[in-house]
């Protein structure tokens, strides 16, 4: 009888999570209320979840980065999550943050960079974890204190279940073979692919056909392996402002700014856009004497720059299950690290987790 009640309660919670009719904290409160009278131990809940979903993680995985989880979690087996951003805005740091958060929970992660070598990826990761600039790491020009932090970060990194593969000619067949091997040998629970435009598919098709084919094959891979896949994609130049003409010059990107937007929207379960107004504003700083309709532009630009300094915005669009919306987060550019707003320094957070 106890087992039956537990199963019924778990199913009710699962339906709430899938429908997202309530806020996450309300679902959590309901979960506590439902299970309170059953003397439930953590092992009981693990067994119930495994029976309902097929495995202890099949009900979905979370990064534990609250702002991010609000927009993309739970990441379910077979799902394709596309992360889009303008060039050099933070696609790779966001993918690395997701990988780090999952790996620190003991979830195996495969990270395949189609653009960077494994060495370049590891250097960027150490930059984020050790509070040492990327240039310092690449030049091997660190001082004693920085060297100590690098050594500590690398020791922690080696213990994480994170497999990194790097640049080269990546066809969809090679991607499938590598991911399948990672699943077999390392039991990965999530695959991260950075990025779509570097994935080599049939050259005889036009650009949008190739994108559609690539996205479809990555989605099929997620379903076949039974894990979520996070795929990075670049936004087209239509999302970039040409000059500063006053407040509103830098606009939020939309899913239509993705290369192959229609093909991605048809296949992806979630599209998450990374937006850094600070980066865009820095590229269109107006002259100090510039005016529009008699109003000086530079003071307005300065106010917007200050508003977005050290911040970014995550925007969920085209989400099949769950609410769409936006969350502000912090971003430390010289450490290539996203972090919660008003939190500890990201490098301290990474080292102490």
């Amino acid at each position: 009888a106890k087992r039956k009640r537990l199963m019924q309660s778990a199913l009710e919670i699962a339906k709430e999570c899938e429908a997202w009719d309530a806020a996450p904290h309300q679902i959590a409160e309901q979960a506590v209320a439902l299970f309170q009278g059953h003397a439930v131990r953590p092992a009981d809940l693990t067994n119930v979840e495994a029976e309902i979903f097929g495995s202890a993680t099949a009900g979905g995985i979370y990064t534990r980065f609250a702002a991010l989880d609000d927009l993309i979690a739970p990441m379910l087996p077979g799902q394709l999550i596309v992360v889009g951003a303008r060039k050099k805005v933070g696609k790779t740091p966001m993918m690395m943050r997701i990988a780090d958060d999952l790996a620190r929970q003991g979830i195996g992660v495969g990270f395949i960079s189609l653009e960077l070598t494994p060495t370049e990826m590891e250097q960027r990761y150490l930059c984020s974890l050790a509070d040492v600039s990327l240039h310092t790491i690449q030049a091997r020009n660190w001082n004693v204190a920085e060297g100590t932090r690098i050594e500590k970060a690398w020791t922690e990194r080696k213990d994480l279940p994170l497999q990194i593969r790097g640049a080269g000619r990546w066809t969809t067949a090679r991607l499938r073979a590598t991911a399948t091997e990672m699943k077999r040998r390392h039991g990965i629970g999530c695959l991260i692919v950075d990025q779509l435009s570097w994935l080599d598919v049939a050259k005889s098709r036009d650009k949008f056909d190739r994108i559609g084919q690539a996205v479809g094959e990555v989605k099929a891979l997620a379903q076949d392996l039974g894990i979520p896949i996070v795929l990075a994609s670049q936004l087209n130049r239509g999302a970039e402002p040409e000059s500063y003409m006053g407040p509103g010059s830098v606009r939020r990107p939309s899913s239509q700014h993705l290369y192959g937007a229609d093909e991605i929207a048809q296949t992806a379960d979630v599209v998450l856009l990374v937006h850094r107004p600070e980066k865009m504003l820095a590229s269109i700083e107006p002259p100090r004497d510039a005016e529009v309709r008699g109003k000086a532009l530079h003071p307005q630009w300065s106010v917007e720059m200050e508003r977005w300094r050290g911040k970014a915005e995550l925007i969920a669009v085209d989400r099949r299950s769950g609410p769409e919306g936006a969350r502000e987060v912090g971003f430390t550019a010289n450490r290539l690290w996203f972090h919660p707003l008003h939190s500890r320094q990201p490098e301290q957070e990474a080292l102490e987790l």
Side-chain angles (χ1 to χ4, degrees):
K2 175 183 175 183
R3 184 183 186 84
K4 186 176 180 180
R5 290 196 305 273
L6 282 171
M7 294 288 287
Q8 288 173 340
S9 299
L11 283 169
E12 287 181 37
I13 296 167
K15 288 177 182 177
E16 285 289 335
C17 292
E18 185 177 2
W20 285 99
D21 289 333
H25 73 275
Q26 293 174 320
I27 294 173
E29 289 171 0
Q30 183 180 344
V32 172
L34 283 169
F35 283 112
Q36 225 167 19
H38 299 310
V40 180
R41 301 182 304 278
D44 294 328
L45 293 178
T46 300
N47 293 336
V48 170
E49 186 179 30
E51 250 185 80
I52 294 173
F53 296 108
S55 75
T57 59
I61 55 178
Y62 294 77
T63 66
R64 297 183 182 174
F65 185 169
L68 184 58
D69 282 341
D70 284 347
L71 301 174
I72 67 171
M75 293 186 284
L76 299 169
Q79 277 194 339
L80 175 62
I81 298 100
V82 173
V83 176
R86 301 176 177 101
K87 188 176 182 180
K88 295 184 179 179
V89 162
K91 288 187 303 298
T92 300
M94 175 52 65
M95 308 292 265
M96 204 73 243
R97 173 76 206 225
I98 293 172
D100 180 79
D101 285 339
L102 296 177
R104 288 181 183 278
Q105 298 176 54
I107 298 170
V109 180
F111 195 117
I112 299 177
S113 173
L114 310 187
E115 182 178 7
L116 301 174
T117 66
T119 298
E120 290 172 321
M121 285 300 305
E122 296 287 5
Q123 288 174 343
R124 281 162 171 73
Y125 195 19
L126 281 178
C127 161
S128 300
L129 299 183
D131 184 16
V132 178
S133 74
L134 181 59
H135 174 74
T136 296
I137 290 176
Q138 291 176 332
R140 302 183 181 183
N141 189 31
W142 50 76
N143 58 36
V144 174
E146 291 170 334
T148 300
R149 294 199 300 273
I150 290 172
E151 182 179 8
K152 179 181 179 182
W154 181 245
T155 300
E156 292 182 357
R157 162 41 195 129
K158 289 190 296 183
D159 291 334
L160 295 175
L162 173 60
Q163 311 300 318
I164 294 178
R165 303 290 184 272
R169 181 174 177 267
W170 283 88
T171 62
T172 50
R174 182 185 176 192
L175 179 67
R176 173 174 284 273
T178 302
T180 301
E181 181 67 5
M182 285 180 171
K183 174 76 171 178
R184 185 184 68 82
R185 292 187 60 188
H186 304 288
I188 62 171
C190 180
L191 178 67
I192 295 175
V193 182
D194 183 20
Q195 64 170 323
L196 174 61
S197 62
W198 289 81
L199 195 56
D200 194 357
V201 293
K203 296 297 185 184
S204 59
R205 302 167 181 262
D206 68 37
K207 179 176 70 174
F208 297 114
D209 282 343
R210 292 200 301 271
I211 290 173
Q213 179 187 349
V215 173
E217 292 192 27
V218 174
K219 170 67 174 180
L221 177 60
Q223 293 174 327
D224 291 344
L225 294 182
I227 60 174
I229 294 182
V230 185
L231 174 66
S233 182
Q234 191 164 307
L235 302 183
N236 60 44
R237 289 200 170 271
E240 298 179 8
E242 295 182 359
S243 61
Y244 187 80
M245 300 301 292
S249 295
V250 175
R251 298 182 179 179
R252 274 183 178 176
S254 73
S255 59
Q256 290 304 307
H257 289 125
L258 287 164
Y259 283 109
D262 293 340
E263 290 74 14
I264 290 173
Q266 289 175 10
T267 308
D269 296 281
V270 183
V271 175
L272 179 76
L273 303 180
V274 180
H275 181 41
R276 282 180 56 214
E278 178 187 12
K279 174 74 172 176
M280 298 296 100
L281 286 164
S283 69
I284 56 171
E285 180 179 1
R288 291 188 177 273
D289 59 353
E291 293 185 355
V292 170
R293 299 184 185 91
K295 292 185 177 181
L297 288 177
H298 202 275
Q300 299 177 62
W301 175 88
S302 297
V303 170
E304 286 202 78
M305 273 294 287
E306 190 60 33
R307 155 75 176 88
W308 287 105
R309 194 176 305 281
K311 297 177 183 176
E313 192 173 39
L314 307 181
I315 310 159
V317 297
D318 293 337
R319 189 174 183 183
R320 293 182 189 274
S321 177
E324 299 176 357
R327 297 288 186 276
E328 285 188 21
V329 297
F331 182 70
T332 305
N334 63 336
R335 301 292 178 257
L336 305 175
W337 197 247
F338 288 93
H339 56 90
L341 283 177
H342 313 304
S343 71
R344 295 176 297 171
Q345 289 297 310
E347 50 272 7
Q348 293 176 345
E349 175 191 4
L351 285 168
E352 295 175 17
L353 276 174

